[in-house]
Amino acid sequence: MTIHEPTIELLTRYRRDLHQIPEVDFDLPETLTYVRDVLEGIARETNGHLEREVVRLVEPCRSTICCIFDRESEHATAIRSDMDALPVTERTDSPFASRHAGRMHACGHDGHMSMVLGLAGWLALHLGELPHTVVLVFQPAEETTGGAKVVCESGILDELCADRIFGFHLWPDLPHGQVASRPGPLLAAANETTVTVRGRASHIARAEQGADALLAACHVVDACYGYMDERQAEEPCLLRFGHMTSGSVRNQISDASRIEGSLRTFSIAMGERCRRELPECAERAAELLGCTAEVGFSEGYPPVVNDEGLFGKAAVVLPDLGDVPKPLLIAEDFAWYQRCLPGVFLLLGTGTGIPLHSDTFAFDEAVLMRGVEAYERLVMLA
């Protein structure tokens, strides 16, 4: 293998190869093999010209690969890529479409991996110029259970003295090639929210003998939305329900309803407040119809909050950095890294407007060079 400076052609090849083998959650055998083969090739060729092993791979936790460019420094810069895909059936008709039925890289993680693999080649060619050790983290399960948390809990970042981390996400609503972010809150915390309403069944002809859990669930939704409208006047936050089941037959008053949705907040305080007060709000609404309500929340992801000091340094070396005017209500497990060390998360525009997670998600690979160029500048920060 000959190491080359990253090019559009190289990044395109990486992306299209990876796009064809999408895998989900922690179950990533083909993806891990591909990433490992590229990185091991870079490590072999680089170390073959040096007196000591400078580039090495470690696998600190399940389905995770870290590639370390070791400068024997007291500080290290970490760069993160997610690897997992989604349980989506692709409908792009692309010649390099998914070969795995019912799975697709519909959120750009194939592009994220390609950028960091391209960066690995650049790092190998510029080892002597690096001010610090650089750690490339390829993690699983961003879309599901939060693979970033597993990486943090492994202790690898502490062991390698990582004191800053950067990551990218492709973003369809930004112009092609535009890099953008903001200091402070960027993306929301997410807590999956489930409400169980219990009533009492009766024949609809004797409705007064029952306690209507379906109607009570509607009142609960309305009450919770009203509560969140009041909170939104204080700071950005959101609760929406997307799924409800209730009852069993059409001519019987429902004795149970289940409502499923997601709570999004940007501050720890608001998240704690909503999780404390929404159950009280739901219970009051259900009681008015003789029912009960229980509200449960998943642990979810914390908010993505960019470290303001590190963001200021990044903005100096990224003079074309665009502004994200207000926080966005999606969630990302990059937030777990920011609970451990200062981090900055950036968005890279594809300019397509095709929504993330769409079965037609696609982009022009030329944008990936903009991401690699930004990474090159960020790893050179003193």
Side-chain angles (χ1 to χ4, degrees):
M1 174 181 178
T2 301
I3 302 172
H4 297 285
E5 295 278 356
T7 63
I8 292 173
E9 292 74 21
L10 179 63
L11 298 178
T12 297
R13 189 180 85 223
Y14 288 155
R15 185 261 166 155
R16 295 187 179 188
D17 287 349
L18 288 161
H19 189 82
Q20 295 177 70
I21 55 170
E23 298 168 300
V24 297
D25 199 34
F26 285 89
D27 187 19
L28 311 173
E30 290 185 68
T31 305
L32 287 164
T33 297
Y34 187 95
V35 169
R36 190 184 295 113
D37 285 350
V38 172
L39 295 175
E40 285 180 345
I42 291 171
R44 281 195 302 271
E45 180 151 336
T46 306
N47 294 330
H49 300 287
L50 300 171
E51 294 182 0
R52 68 178 182 89
E53 186 182 53
V54 173
V55 184
R56 68 185 191 277
L57 274 62
V58 299
E59 301 188 20
C61 48
R62 182 182 172 197
S63 300
T64 300
I65 296 174
C66 293
C67 185
I68 301 150
F69 293 80
D70 187 4
R71 294 286 292 162
E72 297 188 313
S73 61
E74 295 181 358
H75 307 282
T77 297
I79 301 291
R80 175 273 204 152
S81 172
D82 35 17
M83 296 188 290
D84 57 319
L86 287 156
V88 170
T89 298
E90 182 165 356
R91 303 190 189 283
T92 63
D93 295 323
S94 166
F96 54 90
S98 168
R99 301 200 306 261
H100 294 172
R103 286 174 282 173
M104 178 188 175
H105 272 297
C107 201
H109 296 188
D110 49 349
H112 303 168
M113 287 185 280
S114 302
M115 289 191 291
V116 182
L117 290 174
L119 176 64
W122 185 89
L123 291 168
L125 294 170
H126 297 269
L127 275 171
E129 304 164 34
L130 298 177
H132 307 298
T133 295
V134 176
V135 184
L136 307 181
V137 180
F138 293 83
Q139 64 142 92
E142 188 280 324
E143 299 287 1
T144 52
T145 53
K149 186 179 183 184
V150 178
V151 175
C152 292
E153 291 173 344
S154 75
I156 187 66
L157 297 175
D158 291 334
E159 178 185 334
L160 297 172
C161 301
D163 56 9
R164 62 182 65 167
I165 188 165
F166 299 98
F168 260 109
H169 203 301
L170 294 180
W171 206 253
D173 296 330
L174 286 171
H176 183 278
Q178 173 72 65
V179 177
S181 191
R182 70 191 310 273
L186 175 66
L187 305 178
N191 299 98
E192 301 309 293
T193 306
T194 303
V195 184
T196 302
V197 179
R198 300 196 183 281
R200 185 172 61 257
S202 71
H203 193 284
I204 60 170
R206 295 287 186 269
E208 70 279 0
Q209 296 176 1
D212 193 336
L214 191 156
L215 181 59
C218 296
H219 280 253
V220 167
V221 170
D222 189 56
C224 289
Y225 284 179
Y227 169 85
M228 292 303 298
D229 286 344
E230 294 175 0
R231 301 292 76 74
Q232 287 174 16
E234 301 171 27
E235 65 179 73
C237 54
L238 176 75
L239 172 67
R240 282 293 181 269
F241 295 103
H243 185 241
M244 183 174 81
T245 57
S246 186
S248 55
V249 293
R250 69 179 66 224
N251 63 345
Q252 183 186 69
I253 296 297
S254 170
D255 65 347
S257 298
R258 179 182 173 92
I259 322 165
E260 297 173 340
S262 186
L263 171 68
R264 304 293 170 96
T265 55
F266 290 105
S267 71
I268 299 298
M270 181 59 78
E272 291 175 348
R273 180 180 178 186
C274 290
R275 292 193 298 273
R276 181 178 65 252
E277 295 180 354
L278 277 166
E280 300 169 0
C281 177
E283 180 61 29
R284 287 194 300 270
E287 283 178 352
L288 294 174
L289 287 102
C291 298
T292 64
E294 296 178 1
V295 182
F297 301 96
S298 70
E299 179 184 24
Y301 298 166
V304 171
V305 180
N306 286 332
D307 182 85
E308 299 202 7
L310 184 59
F311 183 91
K313 293 179 180 179
V316 171
V317 299
L318 301 175
D320 297 328
L321 182 63
D323 178 52
V324 176
K326 62 181 181 179
L328 303 166
L329 284 163
I330 71 161
E332 233 285 352
D333 81 342
F334 187 84
W336 289 114
Y337 297 113
Q338 294 175 316
R339 300 287 287 268
C340 300
L341 70 166
V344 170
F345 199 57
L346 301 145
L347 307 179
L348 175 60
T350 67
T352 64
I354 303 172
L356 299 174
H357 293 208
S358 165
D359 58 9
T360 59
F361 183 80
F363 61 92
D364 174 7
E365 290 96 350
V367 303
L368 301 177
M369 276 302 299
R370 292 282 290 128
V372 175
E373 290 163 359
Y375 276 144
E376 292 170 5
R377 292 170 178 255
L378 292 168
V379 299
M380 295 302 292
L381 280 171

